[in-house]
């Protein structure tokens, strides 16, 4: 199995190109199921989760040409509507095919994803929304069997909790439904906005894009013709490299970003003492003289993203004073705490709140990645730890960070991927 070996303490500087957003690309790929022909996608990140989603579509019968950042997907050849356990169990986002498959074919089976390292992560809100639109849904043999013999009908969906994937599945289902669907308390993440804009670019009328109330006029089953869609920059990858600048006290310029998506992240790093120069698609971070402690509560967009909680915890571990980090979205998203403590951090957990006490230095050790963002927090810590840090189970990182070692090597890090014999 691959692992990463990092020699900490190297000064970093230079430019980091930011890739397309994994979490925007996944629903965009699922949305090609709604299409009546070829769809071209550009700026895809070259990561395992994207390849998994493309494999899922190809198993359903789609024709796919994929070269690193571009793909052409033709879903007119789909001949199966069953998303198998072997794929869904690898990647929960596979659940995003539920809405579009049901809307287009009137029936489908999707394996239940089960829990994962960051929490229970139920899909009840996706199911309730589709039921409200007329779907009949049963849970049999580990699969969700969904059918809508007369097609889906527009409905008023009120989410009692904001859900990114639930909003995306409902938007895709509503696009082909009969009549108008209103989603109240919709997610407003930039990734949801990209999906809505893609569907609107195919002629579907959507009101309220980027707000918490969406109104979608369905096409009554008419399939969509999408123009080429360019995936938006990955705000979480960008945030991770900003944290790398902060923790290593380096000046770094990120290129190909959308700074307007980085508000909460930049705001917290400013509170910690970093400063920024922001241009149209570049952002430069200048290090803090002394990193200050912070108070973070994870929230839905535009609040502070849960996907940046672990990386900020690594930065906070060497700030001068005690930081408090409260995780509100996922009940178990603190697996990185004990691994950061193995590197010398002083973090105490009570329920969903972590108290991060200040330490002077971190020290290299052998640690284990537990999920995607937890793994990146360990890379951050390894970059400043004295001595050698070995990070195992890095298949988590490969799911969502495009060319991580290449990008870090280019700015001066001492990082190498090795294989166990
Ligand atoms: C998306 O997951 C992202 N994944 C996650 O990124 C991200 O952490 C999360 O949104 C929150 O921002 C993708 O976009 C592929 P939710 P999603 O539905 O859609 C509860 C990463 O590291 N909930 O918004 O699964 C749920 O348990 C990943 O890139 C229900 O209770 O998240 C959670 O507490 C990890 N019932 C909260 O809502 C439901 O039916 C928000 O989850 C659905 C969700």
């Amino acid at each position: 199995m691959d692992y990463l070996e990092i020699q900490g303490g190297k000064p970093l500087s230079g430019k980091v190109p930011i890739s397309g957003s994994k979490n925007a690309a996944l629903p965009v790929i699922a949305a090609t199921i709604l299409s009546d022909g070829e769809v071209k996608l550009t700026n895809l990140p070259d990561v395992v989760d994207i390849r998994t989603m493309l494999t899922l579509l190809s198993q359903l019968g789609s024709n796919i040409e994929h070269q690193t950042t571009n793909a052409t997907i033709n879903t007119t050849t789909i001949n199966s509507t069953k998303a198998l356990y072997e794929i869904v169990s690898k990647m929960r986002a596979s659940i995003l095919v539920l809405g579009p498959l049901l809307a287009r074919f009137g029936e489908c089976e999707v394996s239940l994803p089960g829990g994962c390292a960051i929490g229970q992560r139920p899909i009840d809100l996706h199911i309730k929304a589709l039921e409200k639109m007329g779907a009949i849904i049963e849970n049999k043999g580990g699969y969700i069997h969904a059918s809508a013999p007369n097609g889906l009908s527009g409905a008023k969906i009120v989410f009692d909790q904001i859900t990114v994937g639930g909003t995306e599945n409902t938007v895709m289902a509503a696009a082909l439904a009969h009549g108008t669907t209103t989603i109240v308390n919709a997610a407003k993440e930039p990734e949801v906005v990209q999906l809505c804009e893609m569907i609107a670019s195919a002629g579907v009328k959507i009101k309220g894009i980027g707000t918490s109330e969406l109104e979608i006029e369905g096409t009554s089953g008419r399939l969509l013709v999408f123009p080429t869609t360019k995936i938006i920059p990955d705000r979480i990858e960008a945030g991770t490299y900003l944290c790398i600048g902060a923790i290593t006290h380096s000046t770094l310029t990120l290129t190909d970003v959308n700074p307007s998506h980085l508000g909460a992240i930049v705001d917290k790093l400013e509170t910690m003492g970093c400063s920024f120069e922001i241009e149209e698609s570049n952002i430069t971070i200048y290090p803090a003289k002394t990193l200050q402690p912070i108070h973070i509560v994870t929230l839905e967009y535009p609040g502070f993203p849960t996907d940046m909680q672990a990386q900020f915890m690594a930065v906070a571990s060497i700030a001068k004073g005690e930081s408090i980090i409260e995780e509100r979205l996922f009940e178990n998203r603190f697996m990185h705490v004990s691994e950061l403590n193995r590197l010398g951090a002083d973090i105490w957990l009570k329920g969903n709140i972590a108290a991060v006490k200040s330490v002077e230095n971190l020290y290299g050790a052998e640690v284990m990645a537990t999920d995607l963002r937890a793994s990146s927090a360990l890379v951050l810590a390894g970059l400043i730890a004295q001595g050698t840090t070995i990070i195992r189970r890095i298949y988590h990182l490969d799911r969502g960070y495009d060319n991580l070692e290449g990008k870090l090597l280019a700015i001066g890090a001492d990082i190498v991927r090795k294989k166990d014999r």
Side-chain angles (χ1 to χ4, degrees), residues 11-16 244-246 248-254 275 283-287 411:
L12 308 184
S13 69
K15 288 191 176 170
V16 185
I244 287 175
T248 60
H249 298 285
S250 309
T251 299
L252 295 179
T253 297
L254 315 189
S275 50
I283 181 165
T284 301
I285 179 167
Y286 299 101
I411 53 174

Side-chain angles (χ1 to χ4, degrees), residues 279-295:
E279 294 161 89
E280 199 183 335
S281 58
N282 294 344
I283 181 165
T284 301
I285 179 167
Y286 299 101
K289 285 202 180 70
T290 308
L291 279 168
Q292 302 300 317
I294 28 154
H295 182 199

